[in-house]
Amino acid sequence: MAELLDGVGEVDWSTLRHAYGSAGKVPSWLAAMTDPATSGDALDDLDSAVYHQGGAVYSAGAAVVPFLIRFARDPAVPDRSDILDLVRRFAALHNQMQEPWKSKPHALTCRAALLAAFDSLVHLLDEPDPALRRGAARILIELGERADQVAGELTRRQPDEADADVAADYVLALGTLGAAAAMTPGRRAAVAAWLSEHTPPPGDPRRLTFLVAARRFGHDAVTAEHMLDAYADAVPQRTVGWLGRELGTDRTARIALARIGIGQALRTQQQQPLAEVGAVMWRWRSATTELAADVAAALDGPQALQAAVVHLLAAAGNAAHRWSEEVAALIGRPGRTTALAAWALARWGDHRAVPFVQRSLRRDPEMYDIGSSHYTDEFYWLEQGPAIADVCLPLAPHADELVPAVRTRLREDPTTPTAFQLTRVLAAYGTAATAAMPELTAMLDTQHPELACTVLAGLGPAAAPALARLTRLATSDEGTATPAAWALFRITGDPEPFLARQDVLATERLTGPPARMLGDLGPLAGRYAPNIEQRLMEQPQLWCSWQGVELGYADYRITGDPALCLDVFDAALDPLRHSRQLPVSLEALRYTARLGRAAARFTPLLHGAATQDERLLYSGGWRGIAEDDEAQSLANQALTAVTL
């Protein structure tokens, strides 16, 4: 195989770079890729270095692509389909990159190498191995500059393709090319006609593939109903999630598909189809209401599905509350079912969740992690469970029973993640947190006293036993002196320890937390108003951030003039106009309610946020649903306040 490495030695790899520095090891990786014993590890090393996580093309990536294509064409090279997948990602990267990265010399060199190898890639469509034919097709459709030629090759080869998966890939590739609008008008019309002529009749298992391709192409005649009718017996088989992505924002069709997914899950005893149910509930409020009964009915299905079904009912929130008895009956089931059932009950504020949360806090056994997971992908991850704070917070009406277990956990587990999550819980539990005064006071002498200060400040005069330690902190030079001084104000009513902190006054130090504290002082913090207003006027890009929202509200609380605050909130709430929310959106909605009639200008925005069907999204999965539920509730509260 020595000829495979021809030219590798002529490249000065030491001058090229990849994600981890010098590309000096690339020749040895390429050499190892020719040996079946070492090819897999070598390709992994090369992949992680020269492609890494995408986003841009490294100089080593541009140089290695021609060799990868050469390797993929040689039948003696191992792992050829995996090599083609790496080449595909380089081809797709050009279409994904933003400027200025797309026009960088290395990116242009990489693209030129791919286009120069066009004929070689087309030859791979004649390979005996179906995986190689599929891999080549997936590269070619990324080369929009040659879209007409690619379309011609695919339409010519598709009718004679013996492998059903490859034949389907060719058809879908034509749809993708049509969606990209890369073909000339003449070729585009010819491909559209080809798809129309070759679409199989109803009942033919290949029909769905052609309908999806035509829909990608933009054929209005292809309805969602036609696609759903063709789905059941389609070959190759497709997941409901795949078809859901093709149906996109068609609410009615997606709900119908979700019901198909429930039936499919019940027949196969596989939970994957239920992810489409979650994805539909995540996108539309009404879908959650409409699908709740179908999901609940699946509780009587196979035990293998129960955890996933309970997950969906918990995510549905109040829409699934009526099935609390059925969910409570699952307590004690093996695996994740019990933990998820207790979480669902907690979401509904049901006291029956309390014993299980207490046990988790005491690790007897630990059912919920301390840390929480977040993602923003549209796919619904049924494995994403709640963290302990997520389960505790809705149980505030039962705080007196849970605080003892919280105290035990804080004593036994003083780590920062635990302190962060459980002080959130205590802050939300209000006066019930007074019982945790010993633990909160002790926390003032740890590495995260500011977390304790937040809870102590919320307790007000009831936190008087912590005054001595707070006073010591407030008069120190430590970074936590400011939150300690603020807590003193909330406990004693004396603002002087806080106002004496000159570090707060510095404009560059007016971040979100100090701004929130200043707002708490109201007119007593009048000396800070010029600094706040200067910061906001000079940096309007801050307005849609935590810092901007806190500064804007602080200015209103201090001056009584809502004008600047309203302008800031207009920027912070703007994502709601586009059916989105940012992490700070919920705080902005809370403050809007406190502004009352002064915020009347937001009435249309609030009405839309409260009544629209499309969810206000930031996070993925159940968190996105819960965040939207909270945003809708806060929008209703604000709407009431501004219209009184």
Side-chain angles (χ1 to χ4, degrees):
M1 293 190 182
E3 64 276 9
L4 283 170
L5 300 174
D6 285 351
V8 172
E10 298 173 12
V11 178
D12 187 357
W13 296 98
S14 64
T15 65
L16 303 181
R17 311 289 292 178
H18 55 53
Y20 302 108
S22 170
K25 289 187 177 181
V26 169
S28 63
W29 289 332
L30 289 171
M33 285 169 58
T34 66
D35 184 344
T38 57
S39 61
D41 289 341
L43 178 57
D44 286 345
D45 289 339
L46 181 73
D47 188 335
S48 65
V50 300
Y51 182 83
H52 194 50
Q53 297 177 351
V57 178
Y58 298 98
S59 56
V64 83
V65 163
F67 297 106
L68 294 175
I69 296 172
R70 180 193 294 176
F71 280 25
R73 287 202 61 196
D74 195 308
V77 173
D79 303 312
R80 295 166 70 197
S81 60
D82 293 332
I83 293 171
L84 279 180
D85 183 66
L86 177 54
V87 175
R88 176 196 61 77
R89 282 182 277 133
F90 273 112
L93 189 56
H94 176 82
N95 301 319
Q96 297 164 357
M97 280 189 294
Q98 303 296 317
E99 296 293 2
W101 311 111
K102 191 171 183 175
S103 298
K104 293 285 186 180
H106 304 316
L108 297 175
T109 299
C110 180
R111 191 65 173 182
L114 287 162
L115 292 171
F118 181 80
D119 291 340
S120 296
L121 294 168
V122 170
H123 286 312
L124 286 169
L125 297 175
D126 297 320
E127 284 284 337
D129 185 351
L132 295 177
R133 299 199 297 276
R134 296 182 77 183
R138 290 172 179 176
I139 296 170
L140 289 168
I141 62 172
E142 299 291 348
L143 304 180
E145 300 92 329
R146 302 292 183 88
D148 279 16
Q149 294 164 271
V150 174
E153 294 290 343
L154 295 178
T155 53
R156 180 172 64 84
R157 296 168 187 269
Q158 196 278 339
D160 297 324
E161 175 55 57
D163 186 279
D165 287 323
V166 178
D169 270 11
Y170 288 178
V171 175
L172 294 174
L174 292 169
T176 300
L177 289 172
M183 291 180 283
T184 60
R187 174 63 73 175
R188 181 179 173 81
V191 172
W194 185 92
L195 284 172
S196 179
E197 292 167 6
H198 287 76
T199 298
D204 190 307
R206 300 168 300 157
R207 179 174 171 81
L208 178 64
T209 298
F210 281 83
L211 293 177
V212 169
R215 188 176 171 102
R216 288 182 184 178
F217 217 85
H219 286 191
D220 294 335
V222 179
T223 66
E225 289 76 12
H226 290 156
M227 294 166 66
L228 290 170
D229 288 343
Y231 173 71
D233 301 314
V235 174
Q237 291 183 340
R238 304 289 185 180
T239 66
V240 288
W242 178 86
L243 185 55
R245 289 188 291 275
E246 296 295 337
L247 292 172
T249 59
D250 188 329
R251 189 192 71 90
T252 302
R254 292 290 296 275
I255 291 175
L257 181 63
R259 290 193 169 109
I260 291 173
I262 293 172
Q264 190 179 101
L266 292 171
R267 288 193 306 274
T268 64
Q269 299 191 34
Q270 299 293 318
Q271 70 175 27
Q272 184 185 22
L274 296 178
E276 173 64 9
V277 181
V280 175
M281 289 167 44
W282 174 82
R283 187 178 289 274
W284 294 283
R285 295 167 178 170
S286 62
T288 307
T289 303
E290 291 186 35
L291 289 169
D294 299 272
V295 174
L299 286 173
D300 295 328
Q303 185 172 318
L305 298 181
Q306 283 181 345
V309 171
V310 175
H311 192 291
L312 293 172
L313 292 174
N318 288 335
H321 187 195
R322 58 182 286 196
W323 291 280
S324 60
E325 294 300 323
E326 290 83 348
V327 171
L330 297 175
I331 296 290
R333 296 293 176 91
R336 299 172 64 234
T337 301
T338 290
L340 293 172
W343 169 44
L345 294 173
R347 287 267 286 156
W348 304 323
D350 193 311
H351 182 267
R352 287 173 288 186
V354 171
F356 300 92
V357 180
Q358 290 171 325
R359 290 175 59 185
S360 187
L361 284 164
R362 293 177 174 136
R363 294 173 165 170
D364 179 32
E366 188 166 20
M367 299 167 61
Y368 308 106
D369 293 336
I370 283 293
S372 56
S373 60
H374 296 261
Y375 66 93
T376 55
D377 187 68
E378 292 188 16
F379 184 81
Y380 190 95
W381 293 100
L382 289 161
E383 299 303 316
Q384 184 208 26
I388 189 63
D390 300 319
V391 185
C392 287
L393 289 171
L395 291 172
H398 312 292
D400 289 338
E401 295 180 68
L402 289 170
V403 167
V406 172
R407 295 178 61 192
T408 299
R409 187 58 176 268
L410 286 172
R411 289 194 301 270
E412 296 178 353
D413 179 14
T415 59
T416 298
T418 299
F420 177 79
Q421 295 293 344
L422 296 188
T423 52
R424 283 181 59 215
V425 173
L426 290 173
Y429 281 1
T431 57
T434 305
M437 279 299 302
E439 289 73 28
L440 293 167
T441 304
M443 197 182 295
L444 294 173
D445 293 325
T446 67
Q447 60 183 345
H448 32 68
E450 69 283 355
L451 298 175
C453 287
T454 300
V455 185
L456 293 169
L459 292 174
L467 283 176
R469 294 192 188 185
L470 285 170
T471 300
R472 176 174 52 79
L473 275 178
T475 55
S476 71
D477 293 328
E478 298 178 20
T480 54
T482 296
W486 167 63
L488 282 176
F489 163 69
R490 292 294 301 269
I491 295 168
T492 67
D494 181 6
E496 288 309 314
F498 184 85
L499 295 174
R501 299 296 310 176
Q502 293 300 312
D503 56 337
V504 180
L505 186 59
T507 302
E508 68 276 5
R509 296 290 296 276
L510 281 175
T511 57
R516 187 182 309 114
M517 298 170 193
L518 284 170
D520 226 17
L521 269 67
L524 294 172
R527 72 181 76 169
Y528 293 89
N531 299 68
I532 292 174
E533 292 168 1
Q534 177 185 358
R535 185 71 177 274
L536 288 172
M537 296 307 295
E538 290 179 353
Q539 295 181 282
Q541 69 273 18
L542 294 178
W543 291 7
C544 58
S545 68
W546 282 100
Q547 188 174 344
V549 167
E550 296 293 356
L551 287 169
Y553 186 63
D555 184 68
Y556 163 69
R557 287 292 308 277
I558 293 168
T559 67
D561 182 353
L564 182 56
C565 177
L566 292 172
D567 288 342
V568 171
F569 282 14
D570 195 88
L573 294 172
D574 186 62
L576 274 60
R577 298 184 175 99
H578 310 285
S579 296
R580 296 187 300 109
Q581 62 170 299
L582 296 173
V584 74
S585 299
L586 300 177
E587 189 79 336
L589 285 170
R590 289 188 192 94
Y591 287 157
T592 300
R594 297 178 194 175
L595 284 165
R597 292 185 61 83
R601 66 193 269 190
F602 296 130
T603 299
L605 181 150
L606 295 170
H607 185 269
T611 61
Q612 69 181 51
D613 190 28
E614 192 172 356
R615 290 193 182 274
L616 303 168
L617 294 171
Y618 177 74
S619 296
W622 74 264
R623 289 192 182 281
I625 297 173
E627 288 167 357
D628 173 71
D629 286 346
E630 186 175 5
Q632 184 181 28
S633 175
L634 290 171
N636 273 315
Q637 293 173 36
L639 192 61
T640 299
V642 303
T643 55
L644 283 177

